[in-house]
Amino acid sequence: MGKEVQRRPKVNVSSYIHFMLNFRNKFKEQQPNTYLGFKEFSRKCSEKWRSISRHEKAKYEALAKLDKARYQREMMNYIGKRRKRKKDPKAPRKPPSSFLLFSLDHYARLKQENPSWTVVQVAKATGKMWSTTADVDKKTYEQKAALMRAKYLEEREAYRNQCQGNNSL
């Protein structure tokens, strides 16, 4: 059996909503066969809310305060979503793609030629250069990326074996 997922507590309800629920129940008791659409019911309910005394409203405000206290109490015990696990700084880093290697080679030159450009503008220019570059010229970057990727996969496997060895002790 898996762990049970804790459901988020229901949000607290305002005094007007408490009144509206009570008003709906009374209305259904008094006129069980009468159907009112949402628009008509809301209109009647808001008119009634405006017409009741402060003393009557205080009852609903007290209910709202109790509900708010309940919600805050339940939220104190609510764990929520699991936090993302922090990455181990000793873990091997993923290698750059062939495009990123190309970008690193051309970034300095583009920035020197166009000092007023932002990083985004340089990145767009690099992307255009990459798309117009011949496949033969891209091969060198793809080969570098493949070598780096193979090295990364070996390091990752060694790191995982090392972590499993430490956990079994």
Side-chain angles (χ1 to χ4, degrees):
M1 308 279 161
K3 293 182 182 178
E4 277 191 40
V5 178
Q6 186 183 12
R7 297 190 67 109
R8 184 178 176 90
K10 287 191 174 183
V11 179
N12 55 311
V13 178
S14 71
S15 55
Y16 179 71
I17 300 294
H18 279 290
F19 168 77
M20 201 166 155
L21 294 171
N22 189 26
F23 184 75
R24 183 181 64 189
N25 291 338
K26 284 182 182 176
F27 185 81
K28 282 184 179 179
E29 285 175 11
Q30 292 171 357
Q31 301 172 359
N33 297 330
T34 306
Y35 172 77
L36 272 182
F38 179 76
K39 193 173 181 180
E40 296 92 40
F41 175 75
S42 329
R43 189 176 300 122
K44 280 190 173 199
C45 197
S46 65
E47 287 170 5
K48 182 74 173 172
W49 176 252
R50 279 186 241 126
S51 68
I52 65 172
S53 68
R54 288 182 186 234
H55 178 69
E56 286 182 78
K57 283 185 183 180
K59 290 189 277 186
Y60 297 109
E61 287 167 1
L63 285 172
K65 281 183 183 178
L66 287 172
D67 198 32
K68 185 175 183 178
R70 180 228 19 112
Y71 176 69
Q72 289 174 341
R73 191 174 50 252
E74 288 179 5
M75 283 303 287
M76 294 291 282
N77 299 327
Y78 178 63
I79 296 170
K81 291 183 182 179
R82 293 190 176 260
R83 301 278 185 236
K84 197 173 183 181
R85 206 179 340 160
K86 289 185 179 179
K87 290 186 179 180
D88 185 1
K90 297 174 188 172
R93 294 185 65 182
K94 286 188 178 180
S97 65
S98 54
F99 171 70
L100 277 176
L101 293 172
F102 177 82
S103 298
L104 290 171
D105 283 352
H106 292 85
Y107 180 85
R109 183 176 55 83
L110 281 171
K111 191 66 177 168
Q112 188 177 15
E113 291 172 2
N114 308 292
S116 64
W117 278 10
T118 63
V119 175
V120 174
Q121 290 171 318
V122 175
K124 285 181 181 179
T126 309
K128 286 179 184 174
M129 286 173 62
W130 177 256
S131 62
T132 58
T133 302
D135 289 343
V136 176
D137 297 329
K138 288 182 182 180
K139 274 281 193 230
T140 57
Y141 295 105
E142 290 168 356
Q143 288 172 346
K144 281 183 191 177
L147 286 172
M148 293 173 98
R149 178 100 176 128
K151 183 180 175 189
Y152 163 75
L153 291 174
E154 289 174 9
E155 289 174 355
R156 186 181 71 180
E157 194 60 37
Y159 173 76
R160 285 184 176 170
N161 290 337
Q162 178 187 1
C163 287
Q164 286 177 350
N166 291 340
N167 289 340
S168 64
L169 294 176

